[in-house]
């Protein structure tokens, strides 16, 4: 959904790649408390989300907003 909002398009393949990226980042960040603390600062995850999930979605959002096609639109 966020992919569509940012880029005004999406395919199932792109959504699957983004979901896999978030899943992998959640796994990696869950193992690295120091990196997780740096990414989140004083922010707290929303109810129902772990700190690692929240940080992983923050990283994914940053990735989408920094794509060349997002910047040039």
């Amino acid at each position: 959904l966020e992919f569509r909002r940012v880029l005004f398009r999406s395919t199932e393949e792109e959504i699957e790649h983004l979901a896999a990226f978030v899943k992998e980042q959640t796994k990696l960040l869950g193992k690295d408390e120091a990196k997780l603390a740096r990414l989140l600062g004083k922010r707290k995850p929303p109810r129902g989300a772990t700190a690692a999930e929240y940080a992983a979605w923050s990283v994914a959002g940053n990735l989408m907003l920094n794509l060349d096609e997002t910047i040039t639109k």
Side-chain angles (χ1 to χ4, degrees), residues 1-20 64 67 69 73:
L1 178 64
E2 300 310 323
F3 200 91
R4 289 182 186 121
R5 286 185 182 167
V6 172
L7 299 176
F8 301 103
R9 65 163 179 82
S10 68
T11 64
E12 287 302 314
E13 184 180 5
E14 289 171 323
I15 292 169
E16 288 172 12
H17 283 293
L18 182 61
M64 287 186 288
L67 290 172
E69 61 189 288
K73 282 194 176 197

Side-chain angles (χ1 to χ4, degrees), residues 22-56:
V22 170
K23 184 176 181 180
E24 182 65 22
Q25 289 301 305
T26 301
K27 182 179 169 184
L28 293 171
L29 290 167
K31 295 178 182 179
D32 192 340
E33 291 292 324
K35 187 178 281 187
L36 188 58
R38 282 193 310 274
L39 280 169
L40 293 180
K42 294 184 180 189
R43 293 177 289 165
K44 302 234 186 259
R47 196 175 350 178
T50 66
E53 290 168 335
Y54 184 52

